[in-house]
Amino acid sequence: RDEIRRGQQVSELLLVELLVRRAQFSDCVERGWLLEDFPKTRHQAELLAAAGVVPDFVFYLNMFSEFCYSRADDLSSVEFMYDPRVFSERLSTHLKESSGVMAFYEKNYGNVKYINGLKSKWYVEDTITEHIRDSIKSKSDFARNILDNSKA
């Protein structure tokens, strides 16, 4: 915790510990939670899983690097604090690490959903929403079945 107070980079283990704690807060338990751009590495995914945190879904937007750069270049550098060098470094790291993260979740949990990131933001939102809605319905149906069977 001293790392945080000193403004230093937090270890992966501490980061996962903090995420696990946060996911246990009542708002996350009641309404769910979303991690964006995490885990970044297979090791982080393994640490999360070892701590008992496995997402229902891992959404991955498929798109070409050139498309990412094109979208980023359209952003206002002031409004979004966009720095092309930082963006390039992050994208490079992502391209190097993401296949390991996706392979881990695909192999162990089968929860990866690939989405065409070249389509509109509405398509992406609708696709993600549909997966989540279907999952909630399945879980509700499952719970209802258990309750109905226990009454019989």
Side-chain angles (χ1 to χ4, degrees):
R1 314 321 162 319
D2 292 334
E3 301 153 322
I4 296 171
R5 286 189 198 98
R6 291 192 301 264
Q8 296 175 327
Q9 186 170 348
V10 178
S11 73
E12 289 181 333
L13 204 52
L14 178 58
L15 184 56
V16 168
E17 181 184 324
L18 293 171
L19 286 170
V20 169
R21 282 190 194 174
R22 181 63 182 96
Q24 294 170 348
F25 282 29
S26 63
D27 62 328
C28 292
V29 172
E30 292 168 12
R31 291 185 230 134
W33 48 271
L34 173 85
L35 292 178
E36 182 179 347
D37 202 27
F38 191 86
K40 292 181 185 302
T41 66
R42 182 182 182 109
H43 183 248
Q44 291 172 342
E46 291 167 346
L47 288 172
L48 276 173
V53 177
V54 176
D56 289 336
F57 298 107
V58 176
F59 294 107
Y60 187 85
L61 298 180
N62 282 321
M63 62 180 74
F64 304 109
S65 297
E66 296 79 22
F67 190 72
C68 294
Y69 284 111
S70 171
R71 276 195 174 170
D73 286 342
D74 292 341
L75 300 175
S76 161
S77 60
V78 175
E79 184 179 349
F80 293 99
M81 297 187 298
Y82 169 67
D83 181 334
R85 290 167 299 158
V86 172
F87 181 80
S88 180
E89 185 178 307
R90 290 189 71 199
L91 183 58
S92 176
T93 300
H94 168 77
L95 292 172
K96 188 170 52 178
E97 299 287 349
S98 64
S99 61
V101 174
M102 296 304 115
F104 173 78
Y105 283 115
E106 190 69 54
K107 178 182 176 196
N108 294 294
Y109 305 102
N111 59 354
V112 178
K113 302 295 180 191
Y114 295 94
I115 300 172
N116 184 345
L118 300 175
K119 293 197 174 192
S120 73
K121 62 183 177 184
W122 299 282
Y123 169 85
V124 171
E125 180 182 351
D126 288 348
T127 302
I128 290 171
T129 302
E130 183 179 324
H131 283 300
I132 293 170
R133 189 179 304 122
D134 290 348
S135 175
I136 291 170
K137 183 180 181 330
S138 294
K139 288 177 182 181
S140 295
D141 291 347
F142 179 76
R144 197 170 295 111
N145 255 345
I146 290 174
L147 290 173
D148 290 346
N149 289 336
S150 69
K151 292 177 185 175

